Amino acid sequence: MTELQDQPKLKAAQRPRTAARVAAVQALFQIEQNGDRPDSVIEQFLVHRFGTTLSGESYEDGRIPEADVALFTAIVKGAVSNRTAIEGDIAQTLPSTWPIERLDPVLRALFMAAIAEFRHEDVPAAVLINEYMDVAHGFFFGDEPRLVNGVLDTLFKTPAPVEDHDSTAVPPTED
């Protein structure tokens, strides 16, 4: 990540990775709500939503200027291909009285994007938490950004379980 992208004072159009994260949340929401195929939604965003137009359309007009297309695509594909595992992570973090289905769909999409990016990108946890809290502030005006902070902080700072892929291997013997 460049120093320019990390400056919080910059507008989203000057922060392509932030723009990609916002777009990924929107795309994941669309996939869930409409049952659209991920590749189709990614293509729609690439053709119709990214870039600037001659009239200078912006977020308010449904455009996402200067987004990091590779990051956007990686987040969406990662979230969709790992949906079950990611939802399991979210469910384990939420109170048992608050099932994942009860979450606002935009909040669910935000968690999916954040966790997918955390699993597959080399970005520090603190940076991702801050970025997705900023995204949450763009969609919500209540306590949701604090929930995003708490859930992501818990998930990102908990060590991942060690997977033993060689469980059929014979343990070494001592000589």
Side-chain angles (χ1 to χ4, degrees):
M1 218 185 282
T2 67
E3 185 176 318
L4 179 65
Q5 292 170 336
D6 291 336
Q7 294 298 317
K9 296 177 197 161
L10 299 177
K11 296 177 184 174
Q14 296 170 309
R15 296 174 62 197
R17 293 180 66 83
T18 300
R21 291 174 178 116
V22 170
V25 170
Q26 292 173 330
L28 290 167
F29 173 85
Q30 181 177 333
I31 290 166
E32 180 183 324
Q33 294 301 301
N34 299 339
D36 293 342
R37 288 186 19 249
D39 289 337
S40 172
V41 172
I42 290 170
E43 185 176 337
Q44 288 173 20
F45 272 73
L46 295 177
V47 173
H48 301 291
R49 305 278 305 273
F50 286 159
T52 54
T53 62
L54 293 176
S55 61
E57 294 174 313
S58 66
Y59 284 102
E60 292 79 21
D61 305 306
R63 300 293 296 181
I64 302 169
E66 300 180 32
D68 181 330
V69 173
L71 178 61
F72 163 77
T73 303
I75 292 170
V76 173
K77 287 184 175 184
V80 170
S81 65
N82 296 296
R83 181 177 196 90
T84 303
I86 292 172
E87 285 180 345
D89 289 347
I90 297 167
Q92 285 181 341
T93 307
L94 296 173
S96 60
T97 57
W98 198 283
I100 191 169
E101 297 80 21
R102 189 173 168 192
L103 287 175
D104 179 276
V106 174
L107 196 54
R108 232 181 356 257
L110 187 145
F111 284 138
M112 296 293 292
I115 296 167
E117 184 175 357
F118 180 71
R119 288 175 165 214
H120 298 290
E121 297 292 322
D122 190 22
V123 181
V127 171
L128 282 180
I129 292 168
N130 187 53
E131 281 286 316
Y132 281 98
M133 281 184 59
D134 286 350
V135 172
H137 281 291
F139 289 109
F140 300 102
F141 299 103
D143 291 332
E144 290 86 353
R146 288 188 346 184
L147 178 63
V148 168
N149 182 38
V151 169
L152 295 182
D153 186 61
T154 299
L155 285 172
F156 294 173
K157 294 186 177 171
T158 302
V162 177
E163 295 181 22
D164 184 10
H165 295 288
D166 296 326
S167 58
T168 59
V170 177
T173 57
E174 292 182 28
D175 291 328

